[in-house]
Amino acid sequence: MPYSINDRFASSRLANLAPQEVARHLGRTRRDFLRDATGMALGGTLLSASPFVRAATAKKKRKIIVITFGGGARDQETFAPEGQVNIPHMLNELAPQSSFFTQVTNHGILGHYVATASLATGVYETLNNFSAVPPDHPTIFEYFRKDLGRPVSDAWVVAPSNGFNRIGESESRSYGAGLGAQVILPKRLLSAASSSTTDYSHLLHDNYETPLYAPQVSGGEFELQQLERVLKLSVDDFTQHAKSLSSPDELSVYIARQLMRQESPSLLWITMHDIDVAHSGAYSLYIDAIRRTDRLCAALWKAVQEEPEYAGNTTLLVLPDFGRDADEDSGGNGFQHHRTGDPASRTTWMMALGQGVRPGVVYDSPVQSIDLVPSIGVMMGFSAAQSQGKPIRELL
Ligand SMILES: [Zn+2]
């Protein structure tokens, strides 16, 4: 039984509040909890000057890594008091170093591809979640590469599903063609590399939400070239290593580490997705996935410290794409889906740590998912001209 009676009582009281009040309450709960659990200070007024180093040379070396904490995770299984047991790494290792935003709201469509595309464009995209189409608005990768004149090797996306293979580049006339990020699909790589009899089906599961949309994961020549030319991995080494991995997100982090080593992109975007196994209805699998994602976030931050290209000049931003339905919303089935559009499914958090970030501060001022891109724009020195979000003051 995942919740105490007190928590249930608190949740049922929430059901009587207006959505905005609920969002505020969720944010406050996270804030109080973080302050109590980690001794983090409460932000609000900016007491010190910005720690950002604005010199041009520093900006040039600056690396940004975005991790979407994958596939919709609710508060009550993460940063709310009853969720703390599931996120020991983020809570004890990462949160004390971070600026933590307790109230990040997603006002867009709650499907994983469209929501991740919205995070990447800074506009609530309205594209069909279940079709592999490019975002309508320029992506962060295009702004970054065009404004700063960066080469194609400097922006990469590691994406969980074949449905994400167009996320790196929009069809915007002023950006688009040839200015986006390269997208790597670890499952497609593995599928291309594994002609042997080894069963990798646990690493190749593409979509948890609807069996009606399961794009073919078929490997090809292009993937094998990426493996050898970009990642400098032989087919044998890769498939051997894959045998030791337990989930698609572990495979993604392995690929991301390889990319960091070989290409050292300045802008690296990793979309996790294991948590979305919740659609199966198995609470224990959902919790396992949260714990794994928690561990993988910490492992990636450790990898940053170990890579000379990244250590000391990297900012990591971790945020869920959205939440999942509340238990008491009769239109849903609790943690299983994200269909109701209630505050629990829209209100999440964001953690920022590393270069230029004030450590150990909690902010409960409301921000939106679409504020991510313009904020990174200010950090790196590009203009997210068509984004509808605004830079998050506390990060600048
Ligand atoms: Zn889902």
Side-chain angles (χ1 to χ4, degrees):
M1 171 124 160
Y3 323 113
S4 71
I5 287 168
N6 281 345
D7 299 327
R8 282 210 179 274
F9 176 66
S11 298
S12 66
R13 272 187 316 181
L14 284 181
N16 300 323
L17 298 175
Q20 254 186 337
E21 290 174 68
V22 177
R24 255 199 310 275
H25 175 91
L26 290 172
R28 255 199 319 269
T29 307
R30 275 179 216 121
R31 177 196 70 189
D32 292 347
F33 171 61
L34 277 168
R35 200 177 43 193
D36 295 348
T38 68
M40 289 171 77
L42 176 61
T45 48
L46 300 177
L47 298 174
S48 57
S50 167
F52 267 99
V53 182
R54 292 179 188 275
T57 46
K59 271 194 172 155
K60 212 165 184 180
K61 286 192 68 182
R62 184 73 177 278
K63 309 271 193 201
I64 299 272
I65 300 177
V66 176
I67 299 179
T68 67
F69 190 86
R74 297 190 300 194
D75 239 35
Q76 67 208 73
E77 287 89 19
T78 54
F79 279 99
E82 65 272 32
Q84 61 177 291
V85 293
N86 302 321
I87 52 163
H89 295 283
M90 289 201 297
L91 194 67
N92 300 318
E93 295 164 35
L94 304 188
Q97 305 175 50
S98 82
S99 278
F100 190 91
F101 295 83
T102 62
Q103 202 185 139
V104 182
T105 309
N106 182 331
H107 291 293
I109 300 171
L110 304 183
H112 299 292
Y113 177 53
V114 64
T116 308
S118 303
L119 279 174
T121 60
V123 177
Y124 290 120
E125 298 287 329
T126 55
L127 52 85
N128 178 356
N129 186 56
F130 297 112
S131 83
V133 294
D136 287 331
H137 300 87
T139 61
I140 181 173
F141 317 108
E142 293 154 76
Y143 292 133
F144 164 71
R145 286 197 47 217
K146 187 177 181 192
D147 280 11
L148 304 181
R150 298 298 179 91
V152 65
S153 58
D154 216 17
W156 281 89
V157 178
V158 180
S161 152
N162 273 3
F164 281 61
N165 69 347
R166 305 289 302 275
I167 198 168
E169 189 171 287
S170 71
E171 279 179 341
S172 160
R173 282 209 198 124
S174 35
Y175 294 87
L179 284 171
Q182 298 186 79
V183 178
I184 205 158
L185 300 165
K187 287 167 195 160
R188 207 182 265 187
L189 280 184
L190 182 58
S191 169
S194 59
S195 55
S196 71
T197 50
T198 310
D199 179 14
Y200 292 104
S201 55
H202 65 298
L203 299 179
L204 296 175
H205 198 115
D206 192 64
N207 184 308
Y208 298 104
E209 192 159 13
T210 165
L212 297 176
Y213 181 59
Q216 208 62 45
V217 180
S218 60
E221 194 56 31
F222 172 71
E223 281 72 26
L224 292 179
Q225 279 177 15
Q226 267 191 335
L227 194 64
E228 288 178 358
R229 184 178 51 81
V230 179
L231 300 175
K232 307 280 192 294
L233 280 171
S234 73
V235 167
D236 272 359
D237 287 349
F238 179 53
T239 51
Q240 272 306 112
H241 186 81
K243 283 182 192 167
S244 69
L245 303 176
S246 64
S247 86
D249 284 349
E250 280 196 355
L251 183 66
S252 289
V253 168
Y254 173 62
I255 295 292
R257 293 195 63 164
Q258 220 39 47
L259 268 176
M260 288 165 68
R261 222 167 273 148
Q262 303 301 340
E263 294 279 282
S264 307
S266 299
L267 184 53
L268 175 59
W269 183 291
I270 306 161
T271 292
M272 308 278 215
H273 204 62
D274 285 353
I275 294 170
D276 210 36
V277 70
H279 287 295
S280 72
Y283 189 77
S284 62
L285 294 182
Y286 166 58
I287 294 298
D288 283 351
I290 289 175
R291 290 179 175 171
R292 187 182 313 117
T293 311
D294 170 65
R295 173 169 57 77
L296 290 172
C297 287
L300 206 95
W301 186 237
K302 187 160 172 275
V304 164
Q305 317 314 316
E306 290 166 358
E307 289 297 329
E309 286 284 327
Y310 288 86
N313 56 348
T314 300
T315 310
L316 174 67
L317 297 137
V318 185
L319 73 172
D321 43 1
F322 44 76
R324 306 189 84 84
D325 298 332
D327 291 323
E328 60 276 3
D329 194 311
S330 58
N333 193 22
F335 74 92
Q336 190 173 0
H337 302 301
H338 35 85
R339 292 177 177 164
T340 64
D342 69 349
S345 61
R346 295 200 174 278
T347 314
T348 62
W349 45 268
M350 179 168 73
M351 180 185 266
L353 65 162
Q355 174 67 27
V357 172
R358 294 171 188 84
V361 190
V362 181
Y363 297 103
D364 61 354
S365 45
V367 298
Q368 288 194 45
S369 306
I370 53 172
D371 297 337
L372 176 72
V373 169
S375 302
I376 297 175
V378 176
M379 291 178 193
M380 297 195 96
F382 62 79
S383 163
Q386 293 180 42
S387 164
Q388 289 163 3
K390 28 181 216 303
I392 300 169
R393 197 173 61 101
E394 293 84 353
L395 278 178
L396 311 178

